[in-house]
Amino acid sequence: MNVPLSGQRLWDSLMEMAKLGGTAKGGCNRQTLTDLDSEGRHLLRRWAEAAGCTLAVDRVGNMTLTRAGRDASRKPVAFGSHLDTQPTGGKFDGILGVLAGLEVLRAVHEAGIVTEAPLMLVNWTNEEGARFSPPMMGSGAAMGIFTEDEVLAKQDPEGKVFGEELARIGWKGGADPGALRDIGAYFELHIEQGKLLEDAGKEIGVVTHALAQNWLEVTVEGEEAHGGSPMAGRRDAMMAAAPLISAIEEIALKAVSASGEPGRATVGRLTVYPDSRNIAPSRIWFSIDTRHGDADLLAKMAEEIRARATAIAAARGVKITVADFWYSPHTPFDPALVGRVRDAAQRLGLPHMDMPTGIGHDAVYVARRVPATMIFCPCHGGISHNEAESITPAWAEAGLRVLADAVLATAGIAKD
């Protein structure tokens, strides 16, 4: 059956949504539970209801827009992503998945197609975690990874409370987020946020699994010393932290799997005390984000980081504590749904490749409870979480067509 998908309409919708929170550098600042987030939600609602969908909002603000199927007893086939952005975010991270899903609904509506299973578009609350941490709270609450109470009690840096802000902007619903554990399948189209597809000349990434992640926090405690004092005998926390940070990169690159893939490690935050130009610091705190496709090698990376910390602490006369912060397991996506994405790309003649995601997405949490998978399209230079984030209309349309093909193959087209 011919489905009148419009790549141009998708692109126009992306550009229209980007006006809400648009920045001078061409990006977007539409953080979760702000007035701009509310405007984006209202715009999505108007568009989807015009395509014959019914809105429901749950108690943590997740929006579902559902188009009925012929067989009401069948579980919905869901798809979507998120509309919230980073403070200096782009136009496409998350938004592409929501608005491509909208375009599927629009095209099905225009063609008068009736699916066997209901179709459901989801806009998850607070995927980014930019204002309220941690990220992926809406999907996490829906899948039972977080409790509703802990999500609603979270505070932003200004002390504003998640639940109060959700109510203030008018998007605290009454539906049970746990009901989303009863969907039949979930697809998420997303920009890659890396360069693998662009470098390989592929238009579609068939995402097979999510890497395991292990986040640690390190505290180095030494002793303050005047910048003019002799170097001998110092217990300088910074000079102990520096070789440990350097070793973290080395440990990640040496953790090579059977397929030749090394680990990934990032030190993204660091604080210094007392933070004075002419004082050797007595305390350094920093974060470590480690990721790997092999859970055993990820665990080995943590062991080696702790061993190196012990050795450096002994050599420099400081105390180093390495504490666990957060862990996300290796998460495979549903083989049947992965196969549908791969088959769709093949059928449409789109160059594609299998790949993992090293980044957290709502689909990763959903996959713990529901059959799920992801589709990647390229982004220029792998740049994301940045106002310079960029894709082409052709890449967006390729992702849209694969999404529609896989969704409709899963939902089924009614014959009468």
Side-chain angles (χ1 to χ4, degrees), residues 117-156:
L119 300 180
M120 176 185 286
L121 173 60
V122 187
N123 172 36
W124 302 102
T125 300
N126 190 38
E127 192 274 351
E128 291 291 0
R131 185 181 173 203
F132 295 94
S133 184
M136 302 181 296
M137 282 190 190
S139 56
M143 297 301 135
I145 294 156
F146 309 128
T147 67
E148 285 183 51
D149 286 346
E150 68 180 305
V151 168
L152 295 173
K154 292 292 183 182
Q155 296 185 21
D156 73 3

Side-chain angles (χ1 to χ4, degrees), residues 64-67 69 71-79 116-122 179-187 370-371 407 410-411:
T64 60
L65 294 141
T66 304
R67 189 172 191 275
D71 185 352
S73 69
R74 287 186 55 173
K75 295 182 178 183
V77 175
F79 41 92
E116 291 288 349
L119 300 180
M120 176 185 286
L121 173 60
V122 187
L180 286 165
R181 297 174 209 170
D182 199 38
I183 57 179
Y186 177 73
F187 295 88
V370 171
V407 163
T410 304

Side-chain angles (χ1 to χ4, degrees), residues 286-299:
F286 61 92
S287 64
I288 308 176
D289 170 338
T290 60
R291 308 183 187 213
H292 210 298
D294 184 318
D296 291 337
L297 286 174
L298 184 70

